[in-house]
Amino acid sequence: MVSGKKKAMIIVTVIALALAGIVGYRIYSNMKANTERAGRVAQGQVVAVEVAAIARRDVTPVLTFSSNLEPVWSAEIASKVDGRIDRLLVDEGDGVADGMTVAILDMGELSAQVVQAEGNLLQARATLEQAEMDLSRMEQLAKQGAIANQTLDSARTKRELAAGQVRAAEGALALYDSKLAGANVIAPRAGVVVKRYLQSGYYAKAGTPIIAVADISTLLAKATVGEAEIAQLAVGTKVKVKMDALAGQEFAGTITRLSPVAVMPSRTFTAEISIPNPQSILKGGMFAKVEVPGQVHAQALVVPETALVMREDIKTVYVLTADNKVQQRVLKLGYVGDGWAEVLDGVNDGEQIVISGQNKLRDGSTVRLAAPGEAGK
């Protein structure tokens, strides 16, 4: 048995659902009626439009990549020996030439070691000279039978030991000379000082960077390219490089390298674009947009971009029919750019499409050719 309270709840629920259904049906009916009314009005209204015949033209797709500019060469320059920086001859932003001295270390102690090594070498040479004279005398006495062979062998050994001491002293002097020459820190290549790590008075350990130098006479834009695009690129291709930081100013570049192996698992390649920078307008680290011309699509079927009409995220155009009506066609497009859209399917060569006034059209609308400036009215 169902209690009276439960029966009341069931009745209320049924009534609420019935009312909701009636309201929903009325709203749907009104919307449908309004849509049909608008369609009849639009079909009955003659809209002034501008039309143009579909044509063919060569289309050159443009591939666009983003990249950061990098110096064509950069290196951190360090001293070969430990020492206190006596003079740092350059600062950030200064240009350096190939082989130019950029810093000089205080090598007073090392200079003294060089003098000591020179003295040791002189002493070793004198010892060798004396040992050679002694050996010569012993050889003469041995021929006369005046000394034993053991004494002659001892003289030969002393001469060899003296010769070894000379070689060791020469090596020590060469080592100290090399260290002394390392007191002058040399730029290995021309460029610009982009970073200073130490300054005069600081103690520099061997191998510790003192400055960083970069060659910015040419900059590189390294673009990441997908496997579907790499086949359209070739070394030596001229490209355009646009700089947002310079109000979109364009610079000329050239593809100089394409990586032969893809980066996994993304299957992407790297394209290096060299950009001459003789006036140093461009700076390393700037953001660049690289535009690379693709393979030409000869005599492609095209429509103006302004003729395209969006319908539920699908691109369409209005095609003029023989009875002065328009038919909305869905397009399959290829490359879109430079004011033109390449059409792969949807319209035929020679058909006329609406290029102005299409904002007031519906499929099946009646149109007339507009006078100049009248389209859409």
Side-chain angles (χ1 to χ4, degrees), residues 123-150:
Q123 183 178 358
R125 285 173 175 171
T127 301
L128 175 60
E129 185 178 358
Q130 182 63 51
E132 288 178 340
M133 288 189 297
D134 290 344
L135 177 60
S136 178
R137 286 195 295 269
M138 293 301 173
E139 289 176 340
Q140 293 298 326
L141 293 174
K143 290 179 181 180
Q144 299 173 8
I147 60 172
N149 289 335
Q150 183 179 0

Side-chain angles (χ1 to χ4, degrees), residues 180-256:
L180 189 61
N184 292 335
V185 182
I186 306 299
R189 182 167 169 173
V192 175
V193 179
V194 296
K195 184 70 175 178
R196 186 195 67 193
Y197 299 104
L198 303 176
Q199 59 186 359
S200 297
Y202 279 48
Y203 190 85
K205 297 283 291 182
T208 300
I210 298 176
I211 61 172
V213 175
D215 181 0
I216 60 171
S217 61
T218 297
L219 292 175
L220 293 180
K222 296 182 179 181
T224 300
V225 182
E227 62 177 343
E229 302 165 322
I230 190 67
Q232 301 185 52
L233 307 183
V235 173
T237 302
K238 303 298 181 182
V239 303
K240 293 181 181 179
V241 182
K242 293 184 178 180
M243 308 300 303
D244 290 346
L246 301 176
Q249 186 174 350
E250 288 188 1
F251 295 83
T254 305
I255 298 177
T256 51

Side-chain angles (χ1 to χ4, degrees), residues 265-284:
S266 60
R267 297 185 186 277
T268 57
F269 299 81
T270 299
E272 285 189 4
I273 296 92
S274 297
I275 310 157
N277 187 33
Q279 299 179 346
S280 300
I281 298 175
L282 300 175
K283 311 297 181 185

Side-chain angles (χ1 to χ4, degrees), residues 117 120-121 124 160-176:
N120 291 338
L121 177 58
E160 295 300 324
L161 288 173
Q165 290 174 349
V166 170
R167 293 293 302 274
E170 289 175 342
L173 179 59
L175 175 62
Y176 287 126

Side-chain angles (χ1 to χ4, degrees), residues 9-10 29 48 85 88-89 126 145 169 199 220-221 229 233 250 252 289 320 333 338 360:
M9 290 180 63
I10 293 173
S29 298
I85 300 175
L88 184 57
L89 305 178
Q199 59 186 359
L220 293 180
E229 302 165 322
L233 307 183
E250 288 188 1
K289 291 181 180 178
L320 183 65
L333 299 180
D338 295 329
K360 291 190 176 183

Side-chain angles (χ1 to χ4, degrees), residues 20-343:
I22 293 171
V23 172
Y25 177 75
R26 292 296 300 274
I27 292 174
Y28 171 77
S29 298
N30 291 336
M31 292 178 62
K32 185 176 180 181
N34 291 335
T35 302
E36 292 176 351
R37 189 181 304 111
R40 289 193 298 270
V41 171
Q43 289 180 352
Q45 181 183 5
V46 178
V47 181
V49 297
E50 184 179 347
V51 299
I54 297 174
R56 292 185 177 272
R57 60 181 293 162
D58 291 346
V59 174
T60 304
V62 177
L63 307 178
T64 303
F65 307 101
S66 299
S67 177
N68 293 320
L69 299 185
E70 301 178 11
V72 69
W73 171 86
S74 62
E76 293 179 333
I77 300 177
S79 63
K80 297 179 180 179
V81 295
D82 296 349
R84 192 171 305 281
I85 300 175
D86 184 35
R87 284 183 292 163
L88 184 57
L89 305 178
V90 294
D91 205 343
E92 291 183 4
D94 291 346
V96 298
D98 185 7
M100 174 180 169
T101 299
V102 296
I104 299 175
L105 304 185
D106 181 4
M107 290 285 103
E109 181 179 351
L110 188 57
S111 297
Q113 290 175 329
V114 170
V115 172
Q116 183 179 10
E118 289 174 342
N120 291 338
L121 177 58
L122 290 175
Q123 183 178 358
R125 285 173 175 171
T127 301
L128 175 60
E129 185 178 358
Q130 182 63 51
E132 288 178 340
M133 288 189 297
D134 290 344
L135 177 60
S136 178
R137 286 195 295 269
M138 293 301 173
E139 289 176 340
Q140 293 298 326
L141 293 174
K143 290 179 181 180
Q144 299 173 8
I147 60 172
N149 289 335
Q150 183 179 0
T151 303
L152 180 61
D153 293 340
S154 178
R156 288 196 181 107
T157 301
K158 288 181 179 179
R159 196 275 308 271
E160 295 300 324
L161 288 173
Q165 290 174 349
V166 170
R167 293 293 302 274
E170 289 175 342
L173 179 59
L175 175 62
Y176 287 126
D177 280 337
S178 176
K179 288 184 176 182
L180 189 61
N184 292 335
V185 182
I186 306 299
R189 182 167 169 173
V192 175
V193 179
V194 296
K195 184 70 175 178
R196 186 195 67 193
Y197 299 104
L198 303 176
Q199 59 186 359
S200 297
Y202 279 48
Y203 190 85
K205 297 283 291 182
T208 300
I210 298 176
I211 61 172
V213 175
D215 181 0
I216 60 171
S217 61
T218 297
L219 292 175
L220 293 180
K222 296 182 179 181
T224 300
V225 182
E227 62 177 343
E229 302 165 322
I230 190 67
Q232 301 185 52
L233 307 183
V235 173
T237 302
K238 303 298 181 182
V239 303
K240 293 181 181 179
V241 182
K242 293 184 178 180
M243 308 300 303
D244 290 346
L246 301 176
Q249 186 174 350
E250 288 188 1
F251 295 83
T254 305
I255 298 177
T256 51
R257 192 181 75 86
L258 297 172
S259 56
V261 179
V263 176
M264 302 299 288
S266 60
R267 297 185 186 277
T268 57
F269 299 81
T270 299
E272 285 189 4
I273 296 92
S274 297
I275 310 157
N277 187 33
Q279 299 179 346
S280 300
I281 298 175
L282 300 175
K283 311 297 181 185
M286 279 186 169
F287 178 77
K289 291 181 180 178
V290 181
E291 295 183 352
V292 183
Q295 297 177 352
V296 177
H297 300 175
Q299 292 300 294
L301 198 66
V302 296
V303 298
E305 279 191 76
T306 56
L308 299 177
V309 178
M310 296 299 297
R311 189 183 74 181
E312 298 177 356
D313 296 331
I314 300 175
K315 292 180 178 179
T316 68
V317 292
Y318 286 107
V319 178
L320 183 65
T321 61
D323 53 357
N324 287 333
K325 294 183 181 295
V326 291
Q327 182 184 45
Q328 192 170 19
R329 300 265 191 91
V330 175
L331 301 180
K332 180 181 178 181
L333 299 180
Y335 174 73
V336 179
D338 295 329
W340 296 95
E342 180 184 13
V343 180

